[in-house]
Amino acid sequence: SEDSKQAATETVTSSQEIITTVNSLTDQIQTLSSVLQEFTQIAQDLNNRNITVSNFVSSITQISDQTNLLALN
């Protein structure tokens, strides 16, 4: 009977440790998810800025080409 009590106590203790570990992992996964969402937003913002800069450079190139053509005439 004493062995049964000891085994039950160990089982409860192990179960509590597992629950604590799972809760900790859940918190870490939620934190990671938040960080990944922020990273995704930053990457999208950078991509949008890259597109804006690319369009700006394209416009400057077109103006430069037109200026060169006018200079040749």
Side-chain angles (χ1 to χ4, degrees):
S1 177
E2 188 62 34
D3 288 340
S4 295
K5 283 183 182 180
Q6 180 65 27
T9 300
E10 289 175 3
T11 300
V12 168
T13 300
S14 293
S15 295
Q16 289 171 337
E17 290 173 356
I18 290 170
I19 289 170
T20 299
T21 300
V22 168
N23 286 338
S24 176
L25 287 172
T26 300
D27 290 343
Q28 291 175 11
I29 289 170
Q30 289 173 341
T31 299
L32 179 59
S33 176
S34 294
V35 169
L36 288 174
Q37 287 175 350
E38 289 177 32
F39 176 77
T40 299
Q41 184 61 51
I42 289 169
Q44 289 173 343
D45 290 345
L46 286 173
N47 185 52
N48 290 339
R49 289 179 183 186
N50 183 42
I51 290 170
T52 300
V53 169
S54 178
N55 289 339
F56 184 71
V57 169
S58 178
S59 294
I60 290 174
T61 301
Q62 289 175 358
I63 291 170
S64 173
D65 290 345
Q66 290 174 2
T67 301
N68 288 337
L69 285 175
L70 289 173
L72 291 175
N73 289 332

